Structures are given as structure tokens and as C-alpha cells.
Amino acid sequence: MAGKRPATGRRIPLVFGSKKIKRGGKDVTVQLIAKIPESTIKALDIKLKPAAEAKTAPKLVKDKKGRLYLPRSGGTGSGKRSMLCSADGVAFYSVVIPTNCSYGLAKTVLAKNSKAIVFKTPAGAAQILGDSKKLKAKPAAKKSPAAKK
């Protein structure tokens, strides 16, 4: 993508909200937490509260045969869902979507708590939420010189 900026700085865990889910047959309230790079937080002026730091060492558990393994739940985070956000419509920043959080919920939370007004999900075109007067004009595409005959 042409306008995507690389992320720099450490990744800070931010809380997108909380949600009730079923885990092991019980209703549990979980926090929707995503780790976002510092550069993205500063560029989009994201004002979500930071999450309490999780345990640094993942805990190994035993299966029925006594073998140790790393559980999938609890955030090994091998597959990340993300969307592109922009405050001006030109420079886009990738924001990771927390597990159990929909793209729609993430868009509304970011629209309320940041300067981001343009959102691109993997499913479709850019969506503008908020004041479209803040958008900048896209830079003109360079035309290749016409072939000489």
C-alpha cells in the first residue's frame, strides 16, 4: 500500500473495552486488549487507557498424556487481525484488532478515542467516520511519458 507508514517504538497494550464470552461453560468478562506501536499512538493521538502488563513468561500446561505445551488461549498471538487507520486520508497506520473484538466495534472505539477518521478493513474500501473536512487531497499520480513513435 502506498500510504502505509512503518511502525516504530515499543508496543503498548491498550484496552478497547470488555466483553462477556463463554469459556469452559462459564460466562467470563474479558478485556479486549491489543498491542499498538508508540508511533501509531502518537500519529493518531489514540486516547485509550493502557492495560495492566500481562505475565512476562507464558505458562506451560500438561495434556492428558502428561506432555507440556503452550496453550493457544492467553495470547500466543500467531494470527493477528488488523486494519488501516488514517487521520488525514493519506498516511495510513496499521492497528491490531483484539481477539473477540469485531471490526465494527474497533472502528467506533477508535473514532471516539483518536483522531482517526478513515478506516480500511481487509473486506472493503475505505470508510470515513467523522468530519470529512479534515481529509487532505491525495497526491496526484505520476504519469508515465507517452511512448514516442
Side-chain angles (χ1 to χ4, degrees), residues 50-99:
E53 288 293 329
K55 299 172 197 164
T56 54
K59 188 176 181 181
L60 294 173
V61 294
K62 288 186 179 182
D63 64 359
K64 292 178 182 177
K65 294 184 180 179
R67 298 175 293 206
L68 291 172
Y69 71 97
L70 188 64
R72 179 73 179 102
S73 64
T76 55
S78 58
K80 291 183 183 175
R81 295 181 310 134
S82 65
M83 68 179 169
L84 297 175
C85 302
S86 175
D88 57 6
V90 177
F92 283 86
Y93 298 87
S94 181
V95 175
V96 174
I97 306 301
T99 307

Side-chain angles (χ1 to χ4, degrees), residues 3-54:
K4 187 175 174 200
R5 305 280 185 193
T8 56
R10 67 186 185 106
R11 299 188 188 299
I12 300 171
L14 298 178
V15 178
F16 276 66
S18 60
K19 184 177 182 181
K20 279 190 176 182
I21 62 167
K22 282 200 180 270
R23 189 177 282 169
K26 296 179 183 177
D27 284 336
V28 182
T29 303
V30 294
Q31 284 190 325
L32 304 174
I33 299 172
K35 290 185 177 180
I36 314 244
E38 280 181 333
S39 62
T40 304
I41 293 171
K42 288 177 185 173
L44 297 175
D45 196 23
I46 298 174
K47 291 178 173 63
L48 295 172
K49 69 175 188 175
E53 288 293 329

